[in-house]
Amino acid sequence: MNEIIVVIGGGIAGMEAVGTLLSLGHTPILIEAGPKLGGHVASWHKLFPDLSSAGELVSRLQEYMKGANIFLGTRVISLNRLADGYSLKLSNGMVINASAILLTTGFQLFDASRKEEYGYGVYDHVITNSDLEAWLAGRADARVPKNPEHIGFVHCVGSRDIKACNSQCSKVCCATAIKQAIEIKEKFPYARVYCFYMDLRLFGKKYEDFYVNAQRDYGIQFIRGRVSEVGETRDGALQIKAEDTLSGKPLKLRLDLLVLMSGIVRNDSIRELSLMAGLETDSDGFLRSVDNEYSVVESNRPGIFFAGACTGPKTVPETIAEARSAALSAHRYLQRTTIIR
Amino acid sequence: MTDFGFTLSCSSTLDLGKVDNDKFEELCRLEPGAGVCIGCGSCSAVCPSARLSGMSVRKVLLAVRRGRNVREMLQCCMLCGKCTIVCPRGINTRNLILSICKLYDD
Ligand SMILES: Cc1cc2nc3c(=O)[nH]c(=O)nc-3n(C[C@H](O)[C@H](O)[C@H](O)COP(=O)(O)OP(=O)(O)OC[C@H]3O[C@@H](n4cnc5c(N)ncnc54)[C@H](O)[C@@H]3O)c2cc1C
Ligand code: SF4
């Protein structure tokens, strides 16, 4: 088995796929555009629902894929179809002839400054879920006050929002909001923490327990209503407006910190790549699988497979499971084509 | 002099940060289930008193959270316990109601 499989994108999906391909006896090549492996998860602090360490997961995957060929800071500049595979030209000048390709290019976080009514980038104490993860992981952030008394979370920022051109649910941010609300309450035990939601979507294993935990043991207040606008008061605090839809009353609240749960949107940087490969885009903007029930890891092109958040919002366990499945599909694809030849 | 023009009525806006949380926090100590309500409304739907009196455990609990005096709202409860049977979060609504009465009566 000396045929080459190229894995594009070194997030957790790419890492798990490379590890699995190695264990099946292949020699995969991993191409990562950024300076390090791990993708988004490498910037997260703890993972729901067990609050395990995100860094440890990335180290574990690094161990699993030891010995693989990795190109960091590298992109695919051109991709051509050959009779029995694909020819890829990389930004470092290399040309690779691959028998199969695995796309694990992940997602992009919704740019919260596009929802102008929330004042991200304008007001001093408005941050995103990703900023808060970085702060929890130890990075200093002047926007987080020393002793906040009131902290708010806004769910569905740039998700389930036709005007933000993303009508889908991002799936992971409800659980992320609960995780972060708990973590920030632990840091500031005297603060009152509020989550403003439209629906709470806590579909995963033990997520509901996590929610009860937040309500009962941490006193997080869940307010059903979408924050309609945010303003800044003269003393630099924030003033938000929403409807308390359960009591049918307009509501205002002064906050010291506001966290926006930015959604998961398609990765725009792979537009060209997918055009060159002849891949299709689904109606939600993400890469289109053969179908969304049975063949999620297969693309419309022979020998090109998908795993992880490049086909839509995914949790960590879903991403890992898909990566294994895609690696196995690529393995079976190569066995089949080898036998035919 | 005759009054004319507009008069201002009091704003109905709830200022959430200024809500007095003491009663609710005390209630959570008496009945830990008070915090886990998800507002599903099944308690109000089965309540035999609801049709005649507007009694609703869901509304009562929300009103406590919003810092309102709810003693009056419980006047028509018969403590039949049907709401305890249907609550999906397993809240002991009977203890909840009795605890609320105690909170506002003392
Ligand atoms: C705030 C937040 C918190 C979260 N917390 C949790 C949690 O606690 N638990 C949980 O289960 N899930 C969580 N998730 C979801 C989790 O982040 C995703 O499941 C995971 O990141 C998906 O991994 P991926 O490898 O598919 O994509 P990514 O993490 O997006 O990785 C993609 C990689 O591909 C690279 N890449 C992209 N384009 C190219 C290209 N053209 N060429 C080369 N390389 C490229 C990128 O640089 C990146 O390294 C969270 C999500 C968010 C937004
Ligand atoms: S997971 Fe929750 S916060 Fe995220 S888009 Fe869906 S409903 Fe909104």
Side-chain angles (χ1 to χ4, degrees), chain A residues 117-118 152-155 194-198 221-231 238-255 258, chain B residues 11-17 66:
Chain A
E117 61 269 40
Y118 296 146
F153 284 81
V154 186
H155 291 224
Y194 311 86
C195 285
F196 287 87
Y197 68 95
M198 305 204 282
Q221 294 199 49
F222 291 86
I223 314 287
R224 184 169 169 276
R226 193 158 190 265
V227 172
S228 59
E229 62 178 273
V230 181
L238 297 161
Q239 176 88 28
I240 67 164
K241 281 186 189 162
E243 192 200 359
D244 178 21
T245 61
L246 294 179
S247 66
K249 290 230 166 63
L251 172 157
K252 63 176 181 178
L253 177 61
R254 205 186 123 98
L255 291 173
L258 183 67
Chain B
S11 166
S12 65
T13 302
L14 174 78
D15 193 340
L16 196 58
R66 301 292 181 260

Side-chain angles (χ1 to χ4, degrees), chain A residues 79-99:
Chain A
L79 191 152
N80 292 306
R81 181 89 210 268
L82 306 174
D84 56 351
Y86 297 88
S87 160
L88 297 98
K89 188 159 184 242
L90 306 186
S91 57
N92 61 10
M94 271 183 73
V95 177
I96 302 173
N97 286 343
S99 306

Side-chain angles (χ1 to χ4, degrees), chain A residues 9 12-13 32-33 39-40 44 47-48 105-107 267 309 314-316 319:
Chain A
I12 56 166
E32 164 58 46
H40 283 94
W44 305 154
L47 300 175
F48 59 76
T105 44
F107 67 96
N267 178 354
K314 305 264 156 69
T315 63
V316 167
T319 303

Side-chain angles (χ1 to χ4, degrees), chain A residues 3 47 52 72 76 111 116 195 214 218-219 256 268 278 327 332-333:
Chain A
E3 289 170 301
L47 300 175
S52 56
L72 294 177
V76 176
D111 173 10
E116 290 178 8
C195 285
Y218 291 89
D256 304 305
D268 279 328
R332 289 216 308 236
Y333 170 80

Side-chain angles (χ1 to χ4, degrees), chain A residues 161-202:
Chain A
D161 183 344
I162 286 174
K163 294 194 176 124
C165 300
N166 180 25
S167 57
Q168 305 300 317
C169 167
S170 292
K171 205 160 103 170
V172 298
C173 22
C174 273
T176 304
I178 289 179
K179 171 188 77 169
Q180 296 186 334
I182 288 178
E183 288 177 290
I184 204 139
K185 180 80 182 171
E186 278 176 344
K187 296 258 183 197
F188 304 112
Y190 296 107
R192 285 199 204 174
V193 183
Y194 311 86
C195 285
F196 287 87
Y197 68 95
M198 305 204 282
D199 297 302
L200 282 173
R201 299 193 160 174
L202 297 158

